[in-house]
Structures are given as C-alpha cells and as structure tokens.
Amino acid sequence: MTATPDSRLAALDITLPVAAAPVANYVTTVRTGNLLVVSGQLPLVDGKLLITGKLGDEVSAHAGVACARACLINVLAQAKAALDGDLSRITRVVRLGGFIACTPEFTDHATVMNGASDLAVEVFGDAGRHARSTIGVPSLPVNAPVEVEALFEIA
C-alpha cells in the first residue's frame, strides 16, 4: 500500500486543525487551473499563537523551527479544506514562502524555515521538495514570529 499524505501525517502524530477563517479582506485559498495558493498562515495551535516575539530577541531559532512547522500544519489544513478533504490531490509542493519576524542581526532564517520545508518532505516525499523564499521582516500580524504561505500543484 502506498503511503498517502494523511497516513504520513498520522504516522507523525499530526492531526490537522479545522482551517481558520480569514481575519481580514482576503481569502485563505485560491485555485486557478492546476494550482492552489494558500495564504500565509501563522503558528496557531488550538487557536492561539505557539509563541510571540522576534527571532534574535525573545524567540530562539529552535522555537522558530517549531513555529514554521506549526504554520505548515495550518497551511495543510487550509489545503485540505480547499480540496474537499483530499490532500492526495496535491501532486507537488511547488513553493513555500516564509516570513520571519526578527532583529536586524538575525541571519538564521533558513534554519527556521526548515521547520516547514522538512515537514513538507515528510508528508509528500519527493513531491514535497520545493522552491522557497525566506524573508526577514520587522513584524508580523499579532506579534507572530513566523508566517508561511504555499503554492501547490493539484490534480
């Protein structure tokens, strides 16, 4: 039997949350052709930020990795909702974009974003290998340390 994204999530002991509703004037996902774009997701766990603050100040790189992973879990929840509950429709993780709230001296953005990238590969195998951008920013909504957005190819 071939592993599915859902079976891989279960093996990782990850249960996707209910996809959060947008909090401003945007939609959480857009489908166009065979692409699914997922708006940036914050590291919410049970409806609350995992941690607040900036990398290089009160947030460690280790905590940032956990935040990026939590962001991708929320990205996957949005994707699953948009795909009628079927993550197997994702044929490729095309791109991840990461925004890291940090001090000007912080330079370990790539390590933080690996929290999301590593999980994408764990869930989708080789189809989870993706292009990405990781950008340091002065602040994010509600003082979140990380935000992750995604572009998927879908069947």
Side-chain angles (χ1 to χ4, degrees):
M1 183 169 92
T2 304
T4 65
D6 283 322
S7 68
R8 289 178 178 146
L9 285 166
L12 294 166
D13 200 27
I14 295 173
T15 301
L16 296 181
V18 173
V23 296
N25 188 17
Y26 66 94
V27 294
T28 53
T29 61
V30 171
R31 289 196 298 192
T32 183
N34 66 339
L35 298 176
L36 177 68
V37 180
V38 179
S39 294
Q41 300 295 302
L42 300 178
L44 297 172
V45 175
D46 296 327
K48 297 179 183 177
L49 283 176
L50 188 58
I51 192 170
T52 60
K54 292 185 180 177
L55 280 289
D57 193 5
E58 64 269 26
V59 178
S60 70
H62 180 74
V65 170
C67 285
R69 185 177 177 92
C71 289
L72 191 70
I73 289 169
N74 292 321
V75 163
L76 295 176
Q78 294 292 348
K80 188 169 186 164
L83 298 172
D84 302 319
D86 188 3
L87 286 176
S88 294
R89 291 183 56 199
I90 294 175
T91 58
R92 178 82 190 188
V93 180
V94 176
R95 179 185 177 281
L96 295 180
F99 303 92
I100 313 299
C102 61
T103 63
E105 300 79 24
F106 184 79
T107 60
D108 209 8
H109 306 78
T111 297
V112 169
M113 191 56 186
N114 281 344
S117 293
D118 292 348
L119 182 57
V121 174
E122 288 177 277
V123 172
F124 296 102
D126 282 340
R129 299 193 184 284
H130 53 273
R132 88 175 185 198
S133 297
T134 305
I135 301 164
V137 297
S139 68
L140 288 169
V142 297
N143 200 25
V146 180
E147 181 173 343
V148 175
E149 63 185 11
L151 175 64
F152 299 108
E153 180 182 49
I154 59 173

